[in-house]
């Protein structure tokens, strides 16, 4: 599937809040507990930039970190992972495969079934309750 979305930084800036722009387009990180207050109802989490479904509620767990955390991406989600050596750390950055938005990082210390912890900036996500559609 090649439905890549590309816009100039200026176009993204017009579409996003300043905080969401900083995180998704400039690889920022929100402070813990900024936006991990999503309702605990069925639904899915979409890319705040392009609307792609990235994560689903059953995969969300409370990691205690203050960032929304998931054991795996939603089925069929286009997500890209690449090594990130910034800040003197070796981490794996997670980005939206459709619009290249920075989402967060994935760590190998999550719970079952995957053992992974997708640590995602809440401001990069747009929650859609299942019953709204
Ligand atoms: Zn996106």
């Amino acid at each position: 599937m090649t439905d890549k979305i590309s816009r100039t930084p200026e176009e993204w800036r017009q579409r996003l809040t300043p905080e969401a722009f900083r995180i998704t387009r400039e690889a920022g990180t929100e402070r813990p507990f900024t936006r991990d207050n999503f309702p605990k109802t069925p639904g899915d989490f979409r890319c705040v930039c392009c609307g792609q479904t990235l994560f689903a509620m059953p995969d969300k767990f409370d990691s205690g970190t203050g960032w929304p955390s998931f054991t795996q991406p939603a089925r069929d989600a286009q997500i890209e992972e690449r090594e990130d050596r910034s800040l003197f750390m070796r981490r794996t950055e997670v980005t939206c495969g459709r619009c290249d938005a920075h989402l967060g990082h994935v760590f190998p210390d999550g719970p079952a079934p995957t053992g992974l912890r997708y640590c995602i900036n809440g401001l990069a996500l747009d929650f859609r309750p299942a019953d709204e559609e």
Side-chain angles (χ1 to χ4, degrees):
M1 230 159 68
T2 51
D3 53 350
K4 277 264 186 191
I5 293 176
S6 98
R7 300 186 199 284
T8 65
E10 208 40 57
E11 287 170 329
W12 284 122
R13 199 184 292 276
Q14 284 167 11
R15 289 165 171 262
L16 300 167
T17 65
E19 268 299 85
F21 179 84
R22 187 179 69 81
I23 286 157
T24 58
R25 313 316 311 184
E26 300 183 322
T29 299
E30 71 197 15
R31 283 198 274 168
F33 303 101
T34 297
R35 184 72 181 101
D36 192 17
N37 53 354
F38 296 100
K40 292 183 173 18
T41 54
D44 53 42
F45 295 85
R46 305 190 183 181
C47 176
V48 76
C49 295
C50 74
Q52 178 192 188
T53 297
L54 298 170
F55 297 96
M57 184 54 87
D59 303 318
K60 189 173 189 294
F61 68 98
D62 184 2
S63 64
T65 60
W67 287 287
S69 303
F70 304 86
T71 54
Q72 60 193 346
R75 200 151 50 94
D76 299 330
Q78 297 175 55
I79 279 185
E80 287 175 11
E81 299 178 10
R82 61 181 163 235
E83 190 173 312
D84 170 8
R85 285 173 177 268
S86 66
L87 302 177
F88 307 104
M89 287 184 278
R90 188 164 170 176
R91 299 177 295 176
T92 302
E93 181 190 12
V94 180
T95 58
C96 174
R98 227 174 133 201
C99 74
D100 295 328
H102 170 80
L103 303 173
H105 292 86
V106 57
F107 300 94
D109 59 6
T114 61
L116 296 174
R117 172 170 60 95
Y118 284 81
C119 184
I120 304 300
N121 288 289
L123 290 170
L125 300 173
D126 183 19
F127 179 69
R128 297 290 178 87
D131 53 14
E132 260 187 22
E133 307 200 28

